[in-house]
Amino acid sequence: MLKPSIKLLKVSALALACSVSSGASAAEVQYKDQQKLHDIAANVSAERIGSDIQTLVDFGTRHTLSETKSDTRGIGAARRWIKAEFEKISAQCGGCLEIIEVSDTISGEKRIPNPVEVVNIVAIQRGSTEPNRMVMMSGDIDSRVSDVMDFTSDSPGANDNASGVAGVIEAARVLSKYKFNGSVVYAALSGEEQGLFGGKILTAYAQKNNWQVHGVLNNDMIGNITGINGVTDNTTARIFSEGTRVVETKAQARTRRFTGGEVDSASRNLARYIDTVADRYIPNLDTMLVYRLDRFARGGHHRPFNDAGFAAVRIMETNEHYDRQHQDLRTENGITYGDTIDGVDFDYAAKLTSLNAVTMASMAWAPAPPKDVKITGAVKASTSFSWQKSNDDTIVGYKIYWRYTSESQWQFSKYVGNVSDFTLENVVIDNYYFGVSSVSNDGFESPVVFPGDVGSFDHNIK
């Protein structure tokens, strides 16, 4: 006896999205390629970055406890030179940079036992419409050798982290030629090797001045392409981001347990945003999303910002070479140790600097991420969203994103117009993770915001 055949139809979430019609504009907003971002990426100079790294190396040591009075040696000379470079850049753009020193005196710490002034050099390029909305690129001024308390020996710190500081300065050179809606911050931080003190100091300053920091891009070692593992690769980079906020309350954790969001903090969605920028605008670069605060059992200067609830990530090379990190300059058993400039690939450092510059430009031109994003849909056939509609007149509308829960990047999207709520018909909430972004009238998008406190870009959500 023949059994009747059954034809199975597989309907994708994307196909379902195309059928959504409840209150949406009939016109779909596709992603708009931005020539300005291609121009920014192309204008980053490997030669200038190499020159700046050499200048920083030539200060001999930039240890946090090193000489501050000399004009040629020590961290004092290094930070005065950095400030002078920001001043030159500002002079060329008609005074577009507000250059400040953000400092505090630290003492009684394991690695800073006696009073030492830890000074950050910060340049702020204020936005024209939202000057208190910030995206920041940071790098560390200080260097060290094998003994973290040795502040007199030569410590070139070419890759760790003259490369990051040189990238910050070069990003300022390139982006200062443009005007943005939001503000861009260029930060050269001190005291990283002694306990992340520069980041702690700048985080406290940002909180005191009510900065709306929607992204910190910390660059720590962006110039090495040959790892201790024998791999040479100039085509990949890593983006480290924490999952849930460390400041999450017990009530928020309980909500997250039942609604999800362990991989959708603001920091995670900032990392996804950077990864998308790399795919679209940085030739021959594939970024790896690493779901970890930092390298295993190690730390960096984005952490103090994370500790305060800000979205912050670490951008760095893929293959580290430990013989060139935190080492006395020496040769033993035929192995050369030390963080010297011959271990830095300037073209690669320029590529990662381009990634930072393009990301910051995109975020500063885009509207702020949506606020108060909420989601409902339990035991329903459809999923509903609401958010706080912004009074920013550059916003043309909002876009809903979703993906399978096992996927790292957003897969599907639907432009829904300039509304404050929307329902995706026949898209079941149980099967996907969702988010909402803001879209400007010239096509720039904010990072995606996962619903609820877990995904909010407001650092002080309680």
Side-chain angles (χ1 to χ4, degrees):
M1 179 178 178
L2 294 175
K3 295 182 179 180
S5 62
I6 300 174
K7 187 176 182 180
L8 299 178
L9 298 177
K10 184 176 181 181
V11 181
S12 71
L14 185 58
L16 287 172
C18 294
S19 68
V20 177
S21 59
S22 302
S25 167
E28 286 291 319
V29 171
Q30 301 298 325
Y31 177 76
K32 180 181 178 181
D33 187 71
Q34 302 289 345
Q35 183 57 47
K36 291 187 291 187
L37 298 183
H38 290 292
D39 295 341
I40 287 169
N43 285 335
V44 171
S45 168
E47 182 180 358
R48 285 195 300 256
I49 287 174
S51 176
D52 288 349
I53 292 174
Q54 183 65 68
T55 298
L56 289 163
V57 166
D58 288 344
F59 289 114
T61 178
R62 304 184 306 279
H63 193 285
T64 298
L65 311 184
S66 65
E67 172 66 53
T68 60
K69 301 300 183 183
S70 171
D71 290 329
T72 58
R73 185 176 178 85
I75 193 168
R79 66 193 184 211
R80 285 190 293 274
W81 174 79
I82 295 166
K83 185 176 183 181
E85 289 302 300
F86 282 146
E87 288 169 345
K88 290 178 187 176
I89 294 167
S90 187
Q92 293 170 356
C93 62
C96 72
L97 299 182
E98 175 188 340
I99 302 161
I100 59 176
E101 294 185 3
V102 182
S103 65
D104 196 4
T105 298
I106 306 297
S107 64
E109 300 287 344
K110 182 178 180 180
R111 295 186 177 185
I112 307 182
N114 301 315
V116 170
E117 188 179 24
V118 176
V119 182
N120 302 314
I121 308 299
V122 181
I124 307 168
Q125 186 176 346
R126 292 284 179 179
S128 58
T129 59
E130 295 182 273
N132 220 39
R133 173 166 66 91
M134 311 286 195
V135 58
M136 180 190 304
M137 179 180 180
S138 65
D140 308 316
I141 304 173
D142 56 318
S143 64
R144 59 164 287 191
V145 290
S146 301
D147 179 359
V148 72
M149 300 304 292
D150 180 354
F151 58 86
T152 58
S153 297
D154 281 351
S155 177
N159 189 45
D160 184 14
N161 186 31
S163 65
V165 174
V168 170
I169 296 170
E170 180 63 8
R173 288 194 187 104
V174 173
L175 296 185
S176 60
K177 297 177 173 62
Y178 298 85
K179 295 185 182 299
F180 302 100
N181 300 329
S183 294
V184 182
V185 179
Y186 314 96
L189 305 176
S190 295
E192 192 263 352
E193 302 289 4
Q194 306 308 113
L196 310 179
F197 289 105
K200 294 173 184 177
I201 292 165
L202 187 55
T203 298
Y205 183 89
Q207 291 175 305
K208 180 179 178 181
N209 288 275
N210 196 32
W211 283 7
Q212 299 170 31
V213 181
H214 288 159
V216 176
L217 283 57
N218 180 49
N219 288 254
D220 195 343
M221 294 185 289
I222 61 170
N224 179 68
I225 63 171
T226 299
I228 195 74
N229 55 4
V231 174
T232 298
D233 176 17
N234 66 355
T235 65
T236 63
R238 294 180 291 179
I239 309 171
F240 289 87
S241 61
E242 70 170 358
T244 55
R245 281 186 173 91
V246 69
V247 294
E248 182 181 63
T249 66
K250 288 185 178 180
Q252 290 168 339
R254 186 179 189 281
T255 298
R256 175 176 52 77
R257 184 182 182 193
F258 293 98
T259 61
E262 292 81 3
V263 293
D264 277 278
S265 64
S267 294
R268 279 283 155 83
N269 280 313
L270 173 63
R272 291 187 178 101
Y273 191 88
I274 299 167
D275 179 56
T276 300
V277 165
D279 290 341
R280 287 173 173 160
Y281 294 101
I282 312 300
N284 202 29
L285 180 65
D286 182 32
T287 51
M288 180 191 305
L289 295 175
V290 185
Y291 285 0
R292 182 177 284 136
L293 171 64
D294 207 315
R295 298 145 306 157
F296 190 83
R298 301 172 73 185
H301 242 152
H302 56 302
R303 194 178 84 198
F305 296 95
N306 286 142
D307 289 345
F310 290 118
V313 300
R314 178 183 183 133
I315 298 174
M316 69 175 302
E317 63 208 24
T318 302
N319 298 289
E320 297 179 65
H321 202 304
Y322 308 125
D323 293 346
R324 298 173 183 165
Q325 294 178 17
H326 304 172
Q327 296 285 350
D328 291 339
L329 299 175
R330 68 194 192 281
T331 300
E332 292 180 355
N333 301 320
I335 300 174
T336 300
Y337 294 88
D339 189 0
T340 52
I341 197 166
D342 56 306
V344 179
D345 186 287
F346 304 147
D347 290 325
Y348 180 71
K351 187 184 294 187
L352 268 58
T353 298
S354 296
L355 176 62
N356 281 266
V358 172
T359 298
M360 291 192 294
S362 182
M363 287 184 66
W365 271 319
K371 293 185 177 183
D372 198 24
V373 178
K374 297 178 181 178
I375 188 170
T376 59
V379 297
K380 293 181 180 179
S382 303
T383 302
S384 298
F385 308 83
S386 66
W387 53 88
Q388 181 180 317
K389 190 174 179 181
S390 174
N391 58 7
D392 181 352
D393 59 11
T394 70
I395 292 180
V396 69
Y398 298 87
K399 205 169 183 179
I400 294 174
Y401 283 84
W402 66 105
R403 70 182 196 273
Y404 291 113
T405 61
S406 58
E407 294 298 316
S408 62
Q409 265 291 11
W410 299 106
Q411 296 172 288
F412 317 114
S413 65
K414 175 73 178 176
Y415 175 71
V416 298
N418 198 4
V419 297
S420 59
D421 58 85
F422 193 80
T423 296
L424 286 178
E425 302 290 348
N426 298 318
V427 178
V428 178
I429 195 171
D430 300 328
N431 299 339
Y432 308 95
Y433 285 147
F434 299 86
V436 182
S437 71
S438 306
V439 184
S440 73
N441 50 25
D442 50 2
F444 286 96
E445 288 189 37
S446 74
V448 177
V449 179
F450 187 85
D453 292 349
V454 67
S456 174
F457 275 73
D458 292 334
H459 73 278
N460 56 354
I461 286 288
K462 301 296 183 184

